Amino acid sequence: MQERIKRNYEAAKEQYAQHGIDVDEVLNRLEKIKISMHCWQGDDVRGFLNKDQDLTGGISVTGNYPGAASTPDELRTDLEKAFSLIPGKHKVNLHAIYADTDEKVELDQLQPKHFQKWVDWAKEQGLGMDFNPTCFSHEKSKDGFTLSHPDAEIRRFWIDHCKASRKIGAYIGEELGQTCVTNVWVPDGFKDVPVDRMAPRQRLKDSLDEVFAEELNPAYNLDAVESKLFGIGSEAYVVGSHEFYMGYGIRNNKLICLDAGHFHPTEVISNKLSSLALFADGILLHVSRPMRWDSDHVVTLDDELIEIGRELVRGDLLGKTHIGLDFFDASINRVAAWVIGTRNTIKALLRGMLDPIDTLKKAELEGDYTTRLALTEEFKSYPFGAVWDYYCEKMGVPVREEWLADVKTYENEVLLKRGV
Ligand code: RNT
Ligand code: ZN
């Protein structure tokens, strides 16, 4: 351990200890938190099954930075590189279109065996895995509807795909010995104001009931449902709105997924966690950064990310919250995008844990809002960075921006040679 890092850490520890914060204990807690890093940042949400299909579903990736992964092996190599620069042991979040198989297989026919290579790799790397049915970028979703499609045959296809996905999730969970969260998100919605808002929601509900009909061992698979407010081409109405899934999730014991970009631009998910937590079985987060719209920018350590970290810590919600990332930026090095967003998310949790929570809660309870504000503001310049550096060093990953040189080397030696 570098002497300077150790010295700064010891000094920081002392300062935090004055407010009753045991930094060593905080780092032990932090180490146990898993972030689910989404595979789709590595290849602009293309996947390997239907590579000739454009990205649809009202989401969009912009940028043409070279080096996107175009095979499962490339994607895994990139993920390994990113994980080697992030402290802790985490999870990889896969979409169904990332199946690793030579077979030409349809989404409704997918089986665990099509993900065996991913499972073997995750075992070898000591990673957990999460899963998602892919209800977009497909011929059968081209008119913007899947589980709520008016055509029963098309609905059937997507129901079967979601059922298959849950089974794959359960297989992954059993194999890896840690729960897989399978998250259902469908893009269904109308560009313009619908006449009938009810019927598509009724169909979505009925389809979901079928998807979830089979009980699976919750130790292996947990289901989540993800809402949104609008997408490109579904500006006026999204079938699976927040109210829809909040109701559905609470009634049916599903995890409710909150994506930071899926609400009105001034609405924040940090302010929803404490309410949801009182009623929902569990929460899944899609940590993202909406820039004027659901733009899925790489998450920065901004006020909202810090607030999410605080809420999770202060509300003691880490036990019932699964933290996933959801952003895709093709205008910068994709490995760097993962590293920046994931390190930031961990930093936000650390920041939350290093707040003088007991003192702040006491001040608030006593109506001493002056102390609440003063302490909150002064803590912004407490030596958080010294603790973060020590944590990275202790966990064997680069300290501060040292990781960037590593990514640049990787770019030159690996990414730029791909010609993608
Ligand atoms: C789309 C949702 C969804 C996707 C991924 C690829 O608006 O956020 O989570 O981003 O499943
Ligand atoms: Zn999302």
Side-chain angles (χ1 to χ4, degrees):
M1 163 102 39
Q2 279 181 44
E3 204 33 55
R4 184 183 50 84
I5 294 174
K6 180 96 176 115
R7 216 179 327 116
N8 291 345
Y9 177 66
E10 292 302 333
K13 227 168 89 171
E14 235 177 84
Q15 275 182 271
Y16 284 109
Q18 281 167 14
H19 287 273
I21 302 159
D22 180 343
V23 182
D24 286 327
E25 191 264 334
V26 161
L27 295 186
N28 286 337
R29 263 199 291 155
L30 186 65
E31 204 180 315
K32 298 196 180 80
I33 302 172
K34 288 179 193 288
I35 308 291
S36 186
M37 204 168 82
H38 53 314
C39 74
W40 52 91
Q41 163 62 70
D43 76 331
D44 315 335
V45 208
R46 296 207 72 82
F48 310 116
L49 274 190
N50 307 311
K51 290 183 71 114
D52 41 330
Q53 292 275 346
D54 283 337
L55 177 62
T56 65
I59 53 180
S60 168
V61 184
T62 54
N64 54 4
Y65 205 84
S70 63
T71 65
D73 283 328
E74 285 180 354
L75 188 56
R76 284 189 284 262
T77 311
D78 294 353
L79 284 162
E80 280 176 34
K81 175 47 72 181
F83 278 124
S84 75
L85 305 172
I86 295 163
K89 277 288 169 205
H90 299 283
K91 293 176 106 179
V92 177
N93 197 4
L94 275 194
H95 246 282
I97 46 170
Y98 288 81
D100 187 352
T101 175
D102 295 331
E103 266 176 66
K104 178 86 196 103
V105 52
E106 252 313 338
L107 291 177
D108 59 341
Q109 303 298 321
L110 279 172
Q111 292 173 37
K113 66 175 183 193
H114 300 119
F115 294 87
Q116 191 59 48
K117 286 194 198 152
W118 281 105
V119 170
D120 293 342
W121 171 78
K123 271 187 198 164
E124 173 200 302
Q125 300 286 318
L127 295 165
M129 267 170 71
D130 292 317
F131 199 71
N132 305 259
T134 309
C135 303
F136 53 84
S137 300
H138 192 279
E139 172 64 23
K140 286 197 161 61
S141 70
K142 70 174 189 310
D143 49 9
F145 289 86
T146 61
L147 288 178
S148 72
H149 202 288
D151 179 336
E153 245 176 71
I154 295 183
R155 275 202 314 278
R156 163 67 32 218
F157 174 82
W158 293 110
I159 292 169
D160 288 345
H161 172 50
C162 291
K163 282 182 166 176
S165 296
R166 292 181 75 225
K167 291 230 171 96
I168 293 163
Y171 176 77
I172 290 172
E174 185 169 5
E175 284 289 306
L176 298 184
Q178 52 176 302
T179 317
C180 172
V181 175
T182 300
N183 177 50
V184 175
W185 169 71
V186 297
D188 305 27
F190 284 116
K191 180 184 177 78
D192 221 330
V193 183
V195 171
D196 189 350
R197 287 188 163 83
M198 181 66 90
R201 289 190 170 134
Q202 180 70 56
R203 289 194 292 265
L204 179 56
K205 178 186 173 297
D206 294 345
S207 292
L208 289 169
D209 287 348
E210 257 199 74
V211 167
F212 296 129
E214 186 181 343
E215 291 275 340
L216 297 175
N217 186 340
Y220 301 146
N221 182 74
L222 282 176
D223 304 301
V225 286
E226 180 179 7
S227 68
K228 77 189 282 184
L229 176 69
F230 75 94
I232 303 170
S234 60
E235 288 84 356
Y237 166 89
V238 165
V239 184
S241 62
H242 180 53
E243 293 71 16
F244 178 91
Y245 281 123
M246 200 160 106
Y248 193 90
I250 288 170
R251 173 166 288 184
N252 298 289
N253 307 319
K254 300 300 169 201
L255 302 179
I256 294 170
C257 175
L258 295 178
D259 182 309
H262 288 191
F263 295 88
H264 286 280
T266 58
E267 211 178 337
V268 282
I269 63 168
S270 54
N271 191 29
K272 299 181 187 297
L273 294 169
S274 46
S275 300
L276 258 193
L278 289 176
F279 305 103
D281 263 21
I283 298 168
L284 169 65
L285 294 185
H286 271 190
V287 180
S288 192
R289 179 165 56 110
M291 176 86 78
R292 309 186 197 289
W293 68 289
D294 181 26
S295 61
D296 290 296
H297 278 67
V298 178
V299 294
T300 53
L301 192 57
D302 59 9
D303 286 349
E304 171 58 359
L305 188 61
I306 290 172
E307 207 57 31
I308 290 171
R310 282 179 172 156
E311 281 301 302
L312 293 175
V313 173
R314 291 179 187 177
D316 200 14
L317 303 181
L318 285 161
K320 63 185 326 193
T321 308
H322 303 259
I323 307 170
L325 306 178
D326 188 9
F327 50 76
F328 23 94
D329 188 340
S331 74
I332 60 172
N333 180 303
R334 294 171 184 80
V335 175
W338 272 321
V339 175
I340 294 165
T342 312
R343 282 175 69 116
N344 278 338
T345 306
I346 301 168
K347 278 185 212 165
L349 293 167
L350 177 58
R351 281 280 301 254
M353 290 176 173
L354 290 176
D355 277 337
I357 302 163
D358 295 340
T359 315
L360 288 171
K361 281 190 177 170
K362 182 163 173 286
E364 184 166 275
L365 204 59
E366 290 168 354
D368 184 359
Y369 306 138
T370 310
T371 297
R372 181 179 68 181
L373 183 61
L375 252 192
T376 299
E377 291 309 295
E378 287 304 330
F379 255 74
K380 287 181 178 168
S381 50
Y382 264 56
F384 155 78
V387 178
W388 170 247
D389 291 352
Y390 174 82
Y391 183 62
C392 289
E393 177 92 350
K394 179 174 106 116
M395 301 297 284
V397 303
V399 171
R400 301 219 169 198
E401 65 277 14
E402 275 166 21
W403 62 265
L404 184 58
D406 210 320
V407 169
K408 294 275 185 194
T409 307
Y410 187 74
E411 177 169 310
N412 285 323
E413 289 176 359
V414 181
L415 302 178
L416 292 179
K417 296 200 170 135
R418 282 182 185 160
V420 182

